[in-house]
């Protein structure tokens, strides 16, 4: 295996760099202007959708790996952690549907990203310190609560900040940001796993949790920009209940 590792690495890095460059130029053309720098208003909403998707789905792919390699759980038992997160996502979504008024929803959006960062950091610390596996599951459940709070708000904010004739294209941009960012995050996660792997040890997914926690923190920092000062929006969607999205 050692003889094939080096050529694979030599080809992998240029291929990833080329892929990221194409994705960057495509995003500039297909996403609303200012999305890549999280400009105030709709561009920041589209950027946050990418951040939240990348943070959650990149780490979700590796939580079972942590539980099976570090704690020797079976695959079925490790799947319970994903179920716990899904249930908490539903709870977070139900909670945000009861938030009315811009101030409450602004705080809820930031709190959702902050909860994701806290949950991911807790799961990371628990695994790194070899604490009980329940702490990893609890951290991942808090992450699910956080995305449940924030994820639906971004869809509604997109409609609120769009003119009626732009709603279709902006909704498509939101989905593109979601798919593109999560794909890039998963590619980076795979590259990290490959770069840090050792033949005598199982793959270490803790750097993936650290990367995801950082992305969630960036989302919390960007979140106030989703509510432009003095903007009235184009619909009343931000004050309407939002059904569960998962």
């Amino acid at each position: 295996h050692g003889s094939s590792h080096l050529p694979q690495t030599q080809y992998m890095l240029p291929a990833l760099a080329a892929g990221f460059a194409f994705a960057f130029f495509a995003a500039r053309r297909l996403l609303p202007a200012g999305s890549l720098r999280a400009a105030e208003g709709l561009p920041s909403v589209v950027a946050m959708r990418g951040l939240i998707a990348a943070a959650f789905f990149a780490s979700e792919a590796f939580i079972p790996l942590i539980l099976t390699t570090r704690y020797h759980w079976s695959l079925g038992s490790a799947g319970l952690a994903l179920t716990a997160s899904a249930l908490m996502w539903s709870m977070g979504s139900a909670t945000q549907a009861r938030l009315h008024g811009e101030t409450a929803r602004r705080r809820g959006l930031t709190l959702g990203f902050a909860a994701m960062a806290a949950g991911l950091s807790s799961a990371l610390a628990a695994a790194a310190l070899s604490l009980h596996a329940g702490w990893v599951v609890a951290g991942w459940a808090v992450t699910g609560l956080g995305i449940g709070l924030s994820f639906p708000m971004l869809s509604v904010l997109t409609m609120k900040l769009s003119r009626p004739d732009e709603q279709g294209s902006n909704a498509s941009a939101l989905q593109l940001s979601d798919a593109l960012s999560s794909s890039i995050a998963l590619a980076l996660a795979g590259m990290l796993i490959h770069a840090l792997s050792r033949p005598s040890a199982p793959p270490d997914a803790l750097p993936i949790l650290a990367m995801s926690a950082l992305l969630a923190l960036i989302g919390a920092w960007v979140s106030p920009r989703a509510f432009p000062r003095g903007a009235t929006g184009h619909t009343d969607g931000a004050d309407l209940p939002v059904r569960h999205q998962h």
Side-chain angles (χ1 to χ4, degrees), residues 41-75:
L42 179 65
S44 68
V45 175
V46 174
M48 278 189 289
R49 180 63 170 262
L51 287 170
I52 201 171
F56 186 84
F57 293 112
S59 50
E60 182 185 47
F62 292 96
I63 287 291
L65 178 65
I66 291 172
L67 292 172
T68 54
T69 57
R70 286 181 170 266
Y71 294 97
H72 308 293
W73 281 24
S74 66
L75 287 175

Side-chain angles (χ1 to χ4, degrees), residues 24-243:
F24 174 80
F25 287 113
R28 288 193 63 186
R29 295 289 301 272
L30 298 174
L31 299 180
S35 296
L36 297 181
R37 54 184 176 86
E40 189 177 73
L42 179 65
S44 68
V45 175
V46 174
M48 278 189 289
R49 180 63 170 262
L51 287 170
I52 201 171
F56 186 84
F57 293 112
S59 50
E60 182 185 47
F62 292 96
I63 287 291
L65 178 65
I66 291 172
L67 292 172
T68 54
T69 57
R70 286 181 170 266
Y71 294 97
H72 308 293
W73 281 24
S74 66
L75 287 175
S77 298
L80 293 176
L82 304 184
T83 302
S85 177
L87 292 174
M88 294 299 285
W89 182 326
S90 297
M91 182 180 295
S93 183
T95 300
Q96 66 80 36
R98 291 169 173 79
L99 298 178
H100 299 286
E102 184 174 302
T103 299
R105 296 185 70 77
R106 182 198 302 265
R107 292 173 179 170
L109 181 61
T110 302
L111 180 61
F113 276 99
M116 286 187 66
L120 288 163
S121 298
S122 297
L124 170 62
L129 297 174
S130 298
L131 302 181
H132 191 276
W135 290 108
V136 177
V137 176
W140 186 239
V142 172
T143 305
L145 177 66
I147 194 171
L149 279 171
S150 296
F151 194 91
M153 290 193 196
L154 298 176
S155 298
V156 175
L157 278 168
T158 299
M159 297 298 101
K160 175 181 171 63
L161 297 172
S162 302
R163 295 195 306 268
D165 61 321
E166 295 176 333
Q167 289 180 352
S169 60
N170 288 340
S172 298
L174 203 67
Q175 296 293 331
L176 176 62
S177 178
D178 183 326
L180 189 61
S181 298
S182 56
S183 298
I184 291 173
L186 284 167
L188 287 173
M191 185 175 67
L192 281 173
I193 288 286
H194 178 82
L196 299 175
S197 63
R198 292 173 296 176
S200 59
D204 188 2
L206 296 189
I208 313 306
L209 295 188
M211 177 188 73
S212 296
L214 177 60
L215 292 174
L217 280 174
I218 294 172
W221 175 66
V222 169
S223 61
R225 303 183 191 181
F227 298 84
R229 296 181 182 180
T232 58
H234 298 280
T235 74
D236 296 326
D239 292 323
L240 295 176
V242 183
R243 300 301 177 191

